[in-house]
Amino acid sequence: MRGKNNTEKMALSVKQHLTFALSFLSDGCFSDAATEFKEILKQDFANESAEIGGKYCNYWKSRIEKLKKGRDKKSLSNYETGSLLYEEWKKFISTFKVSKESEIVVLDSVKQYVLGLVLECLKKTEIEGDSVVNRAQLFALIGALSKELGQFDNAVCYFQKVIQIDHFNADAYAQLGNCYELQGNERAAKIMMREAFFLNPAAIDIAKLENSQLIAKISSVMKQYDIAADAFVFWIPVYARVYNILDVKRELMTNEIVRIQKEISDIKNELENNAEILKNKNEAEKFRAMLVMRYLWLYDYFLEKENAGDELKKVEACIKELSFTVYNILKNSI
């Protein structure tokens, strides 16, 4: 019984030290955090959190000090400082690949401090109005960092700013949709995701949407079909539509219909005049997906119009010719 009580006290002591260590890491107090991790290892020499935590402290203590000295010597701007620190963070992530929960909890505390510092520098850049910095890129990075830190309201604000500057930024729409999804606003998430993939699937960084349940659901459905890896992202909006996953639609404006019809014509001309595309299976798949996606948008447009039966049949025929699989799923889903 006495041995059990001693074990419980020791476990509690380790837990307390870890709580203090993680708090110090979140505040950037690496020396204090390192001291706590050492205390943990005295009691539990194989503690995974303490082992990785000590390495993180050594890594960031020296680099933060070096960055501060470099800034004093070189008179770096807030944007330059933030950029250097963010590049260091990306190196850090590639160096320390963690998967265990005991290590992830320590990584999250470091993230709060380091990315918080980057975010602070970038927001100061926004206030300063540095003319050298591309505003859309700056806002996109602030949005991405805010999302990674769980500051979803802030992330939404900055991705909206990106779209105000660059109306056709597909990745910003996708990221905005992901933020809405993480906030629990599924309707807004579906609208933004649909817009994103309509604009330009190739411009969307899918890796940054790894926490999206919508994308996961679409990907899961698509795995049953033989889709080339290089063309996968181009088929996402197609299967999202025919399986009614991104099922919140909006009415297209006349100029958008004209644009879609022109894009269809342009893609067909490209295929007719560039035989090399058809020789490359992956490239041909991309163009086929882009055509099907545009026909589906026309299909939804005519579906809402009265006396548009002939137009619907024409669009259906085009979809059927391009992909009988997609055509079949579409007809069965109606």
Side-chain angles (χ1 to χ4, degrees):
M1 182 66 72
R2 184 181 299 172
K4 183 179 179 181
N5 287 337
N6 287 339
T7 301
E8 288 176 350
K9 288 179 181 178
M10 184 180 292
L12 182 60
S13 180
V14 166
K15 187 177 180 181
Q16 286 177 326
H17 281 302
L18 182 58
T19 299
F20 289 137
L22 297 179
S23 179
F24 284 134
L25 279 181
S26 297
D27 292 336
C29 303
F30 298 110
S31 296
D32 292 332
T35 299
E36 294 297 330
F37 286 131
K38 287 176 183 177
E39 287 300 317
I40 293 172
L41 292 172
K42 286 179 184 178
Q43 298 183 35
D44 180 5
F45 65 89
N47 188 286
E48 293 172 339
S49 295
E51 286 180 352
I52 198 71
K55 292 176 182 178
Y56 288 173
C57 289
N58 291 334
Y59 185 99
W60 284 109
K61 186 174 184 296
S62 60
R63 282 164 175 77
I64 294 293
E65 288 176 352
K66 183 179 178 181
L67 183 66
K68 287 179 178 178
K69 288 178 181 177
R71 178 171 186 175
D72 292 338
K73 288 181 181 179
K74 300 177 183 178
S75 300
L76 298 176
S77 68
N78 280 305
Y79 184 74
E80 290 168 330
T81 303
S83 297
L84 286 172
L85 189 53
Y86 189 49
E87 288 303 313
E88 192 60 61
W89 172 257
K90 289 190 281 189
K91 290 178 187 175
F92 168 71
I93 290 297
S94 64
T95 302
F96 296 94
K97 298 185 183 299
V98 301
S99 57
K100 297 178 180 178
E101 184 61 36
S102 57
E103 297 174 337
I104 292 173
V105 70
V106 185
L107 179 65
D108 284 343
S109 292
V110 177
K111 180 199 291 184
Q112 289 298 319
Y113 175 71
V114 178
L115 293 190
L117 209 56
V118 176
L119 204 53
E120 185 181 320
C121 289
L122 296 182
K123 285 188 175 182
K124 286 180 179 177
T125 301
E126 178 190 1
I127 294 170
E128 292 165 353
D130 191 334
S131 59
V132 178
V133 180
N134 181 294
R135 302 292 280 179
Q137 291 177 2
L138 174 65
F139 294 155
L141 184 51
I142 292 176
L145 290 169
S146 298
K147 190 183 86 167
E148 193 163 354
L149 289 172
Q151 301 172 12
F152 302 129
D153 287 344
N154 198 50
V156 164
C157 174
Y158 278 94
F159 285 126
Q160 286 175 339
K161 287 184 178 184
V162 176
I163 293 169
Q164 287 172 4
I165 297 171
D166 182 0
H167 305 304
F168 299 101
N169 191 315
D171 193 55
Y173 277 100
Q175 293 298 326
L176 179 57
N178 190 207
C179 289
Y180 284 137
E181 186 181 357
L182 293 169
Q183 289 179 316
N185 189 343
E186 189 176 86
R187 178 179 173 79
K190 288 180 177 181
I191 291 173
M192 290 301 110
M193 287 287 189
R194 198 167 185 265
E195 292 294 321
F197 283 100
F198 169 57
L199 285 171
N200 186 4
I204 298 170
D205 189 343
I206 295 295
K208 292 179 181 177
L209 301 175
E210 60 183 10
N211 58 4
S212 170
Q213 293 301 309
L214 289 171
I215 298 299
K217 190 174 181 179
I218 299 165
S219 298
S220 178
V221 163
M222 291 173 64
K223 285 177 182 176
Q224 63 187 294
Y225 302 102
D226 184 23
I227 300 173
D230 289 347
F232 195 84
V233 70
F234 292 89
W235 284 105
I236 285 178
V238 172
Y239 284 92
R241 163 60 186 88
V242 294
Y243 276 98
N244 291 315
I245 298 172
L246 300 182
D247 55 356
V248 182
K249 306 177 183 71
R250 66 170 176 81
E251 185 176 352
L252 293 174
M253 294 182 285
T254 304
N255 65 315
E256 290 178 306
I257 295 299
V258 172
R259 195 178 96 215
I260 291 170
Q261 291 172 330
K262 182 180 185 305
E263 287 173 350
I264 289 173
S265 177
D266 290 344
I267 293 171
K268 285 183 174 180
N269 288 335
E270 181 71 16
L271 289 172
E272 289 174 6
N273 299 322
N274 192 342
E276 293 301 313
I277 293 175
L278 296 177
K279 291 179 183 178
N280 186 316
K281 183 182 176 182
N282 288 348
E283 283 301 304
E285 274 287 288
K286 291 178 185 178
F287 277 84
R288 196 156 63 95
M290 287 190 286
L291 276 174
V292 174
M293 180 188 72
R294 283 160 176 78
Y295 278 124
L296 284 171
W297 275 72
L298 284 182
Y299 183 83
D300 286 339
Y301 173 74
F302 290 125
L303 203 60
E304 298 299 319
K305 298 293 179 183
E306 293 183 5
N307 304 317
D310 291 340
E311 286 84 355
L312 277 173
K313 287 179 181 178
K314 289 177 184 177
V315 174
E316 284 180 358
C318 292
I319 294 172
K320 186 176 182 179
E321 183 180 353
L322 288 163
S323 173
F324 183 75
T325 300
V326 170
Y327 168 79
N328 208 25
I329 301 168
L330 175 67
K331 294 299 287 182
N332 288 330
S333 68
I334 297 174

